[in-house]
Amino acid sequence: MHFSSIRVVKGLALAGVAGALVACGGGGGGSSSGGPGAYVVTLTAAKTELPTNIMGVQPGIGVNSPYTTTMYVSAKRANSGDPIPGGDDVFACNVVGGLDSAVLYKLDGTDEEDDDGNPIASRSLVLGANAGAASFHLHATNTPGTATVRCAVDDNGTQRDTTINIAVGLSTGKPSQVVVNAAAPEYVFVQGIGQTTQILLQAQILDDAGAIVPNPASGVNNLYARIVPTVGTADDDAKLRGTGADNTWVKARSVSGQASFTLVSGATTGSVLVEVLSDRADNDVDNGVSQVVSNIVSVPVVAAVGMEALAIQGAGALPAATEGKSYAAIVQASGGVPPYVWSLVPGTSLPAGLSLSSDGVIYGTPSVDGPFSFALRVRDSATLQQTAEAVYTISIGAAPDPEPAALQIATSSLPNGTVGDPYAAILVATGGSGTYSWSAANLPPGLAISAAGVITGTPTLAGTYPVAFTVSGGGTASRIVNIVIN
């Protein structure tokens, strides 16, 4: 992947720090400290292994962004646990090793952007602190290697820092990316006009290092493809053909990493969105897919080539999205000479978390909510190229409130009591919702429980009592806990 403008953010100097203590984290993260009262810097990553980004996919957040990992940095006092005070320039983070294999982004809407509205990569970032912590993102390029990321804070004139290693492009033999290409001329004609109405789609299944995956066992399919229903009618009667089916989905088996199937057009112009996926878990889609590796491609369906002026179809409102949920939609053009190439109009941008592919697929996982508008440009493939522009809108709903954790009784043991001595204990529950209400069966004689879960009284009879406690509040949970009375 080529970045035309790599910028370096000026901030805290990170090299040659006298007295800085460094702990390398080759796994989930690292931390450092400089004494009892010094700041302890902790750096972790959501993923410490990324595939090689041979397709040049832009960075993003969520399940549809396999080449990007979220990094978390925090700093606290070693002796008190107090977080570092908030501010604008608290953490300085940069890639100090394997500079060609990874770059950094904020992906919070504050990154500088290129003319197409894509965030510009950085080798260094200066981050503010909120509650003693901050987050940023590391993105893999098309070069394998190990990226060492270092974050530092200023501790009264002394820098405290730590590092973590992110491996890019390890050779695993497991599916990590699916590259899908349409055979020339990359479009098909509608049925009934005497032109080509089918096209071969070829998918390469590659591992983290960009190497082809091993052939699955004989008779086992490791690729699943489907036509994704979208706004418009071009996909209503289009079909996929292959060894596994003859309808809106097909399975296929890769040989030397490559699997093929055919798309057949319907009677309506537009674009057909095809999703292909494999299973990273076992390179087998016949038994279900537990770790999805996917890609999408848009294939134009036309009635004529070069006979009409290039025009954008269906501009305006796109299907609604939800914050934090995977999203895909296609934009469509007609006329001119396909295939078409889409881009953002300079000065406009997609909602954070969404990306635009050159074949007109808007995809990703939005990380913000609200109404958004942006302008897209399309050009055709004629010798004298035509272009067209249009404004689109998308409404992204706020992420739903998370489901409450299941109600359960956290108390697993209770103190012993003595006959004739006052007894008191408090029960603890977690999860659920609302106010907890407690009850109990088989309490020792002389003891009682309140609705708030407080056991009080004076036991009158020795023994071991298996008490069945029940709590309600957004559900019901029960647990048996012994109370021993001596």
Side-chain angles (χ1 to χ4, degrees), residues 80-486:
S80 64
D82 293 335
I84 195 168
D88 293 331
D89 301 321
V90 176
F91 299 101
C93 301
N94 68 350
V95 182
V96 295
L99 291 180
D100 291 335
S101 64
V103 286
L104 303 179
Y105 296 88
K106 294 180 183 178
L107 298 186
D108 60 356
T110 64
D111 291 286
E112 294 183 9
E113 297 180 345
D114 61 20
D115 291 341
D116 292 327
N118 298 313
I120 296 176
S122 301
R123 291 179 179 171
S124 300
L125 296 176
V126 178
L127 306 168
N130 184 4
S135 64
F136 59 105
H137 299 84
L138 180 141
H139 186 62
T141 67
N142 59 0
T143 304
T146 298
T148 301
V149 181
R150 175 183 292 156
C151 288
V153 300
D154 180 76
D155 190 359
N156 295 320
T158 299
Q159 287 191 347
R160 312 294 183 192
D161 64 354
T162 190
T163 62
I164 185 174
N165 292 330
I166 307 296
V168 177
L170 293 179
S171 182
T172 62
K174 297 180 178 181
S176 180
Q177 49 197 326
V178 181
V179 182
V180 59
N181 295 296
E186 301 181 34
Y187 60 88
V188 291
F189 289 88
V190 295
Q191 297 287 331
I193 62 174
Q195 299 288 342
T196 302
T197 58
Q198 62 183 34
I199 188 170
L200 183 68
L201 297 177
Q202 296 178 319
Q204 277 191 317
I205 306 174
L206 307 174
D207 75 356
D208 304 71
I212 59 176
V213 299
N215 294 343
S218 178
V220 172
N221 296 302
N222 60 338
L223 182 84
Y224 175 87
R226 72 182 184 105
I227 295 176
V228 181
T230 59
V231 175
T233 58
D235 55 41
D236 287 355
D237 52 358
K239 297 181 183 297
L240 295 179
R241 289 179 178 168
T243 58
D246 181 9
N247 207 324
T248 58
W249 63 270
V250 65
K251 293 180 182 178
R253 176 179 181 270
S254 71
V255 177
S256 297
Q258 183 166 284
S260 301
F261 57 97
T262 300
L263 169 67
V264 182
S265 68
T268 309
T269 61
S271 292
V272 178
L273 185 62
V274 179
E275 180 185 35
V276 295
L277 58 87
S278 189
D279 190 351
R280 181 175 174 82
D282 60 3
N283 198 31
D284 182 353
V285 299
D286 291 329
N287 58 3
V289 179
S290 59
Q291 296 183 35
V292 175
V293 177
S294 66
N295 200 357
I296 45 182
V297 63
S298 178
V299 179
V301 180
V302 301
V305 172
M307 303 296 291
E308 299 177 353
L310 177 67
I312 290 177
Q313 294 181 313
L318 290 169
T322 302
E323 179 186 7
K325 290 189 175 182
S326 178
Y327 179 84
I330 52 175
V331 289
Q332 305 185 52
S334 63
V337 178
Y340 309 118
V341 178
W342 292 84
S343 62
L344 282 160
V345 173
T348 189
S349 61
L350 291 170
L354 295 183
S355 300
L356 171 70
S357 69
S358 61
D359 58 352
V361 181
I362 297 173
Y363 65 97
T365 303
S367 57
V368 291
D369 66 276
F372 295 89
S373 63
F374 47 89
L376 300 183
R377 174 182 296 161
V378 63
R379 62 174 173 83
D380 71 354
S381 298
T383 302
L384 297 177
Q385 292 181 345
Q386 302 179 64
T387 62
E389 296 182 1
V391 174
Y392 291 83
T393 60
I394 182 172
S395 177
I396 302 176
D401 293 333
E403 293 292 330
L407 179 65
Q408 59 182 352
I409 296 174
T411 302
S412 60
S413 63
L414 289 168
N416 295 346
T418 303
V419 171
D421 290 343
Y423 182 91
I426 299 176
L427 296 166
V428 177
T430 60
S433 61
T435 302
Y436 297 143
S437 178
W438 293 84
S439 62
N442 197 38
L443 279 169
L447 299 186
I449 184 173
S450 70
V454 179
I455 304 170
T456 56
T458 301
T460 59
L461 186 63
T464 298
Y465 298 86
V467 184
F469 294 102
T470 299
V471 62
S472 60
T476 301
S478 299
R479 185 171 191 171
I480 295 176
V481 180
N482 288 337
I483 298 179
V484 177
I485 305 297
N486 298 314

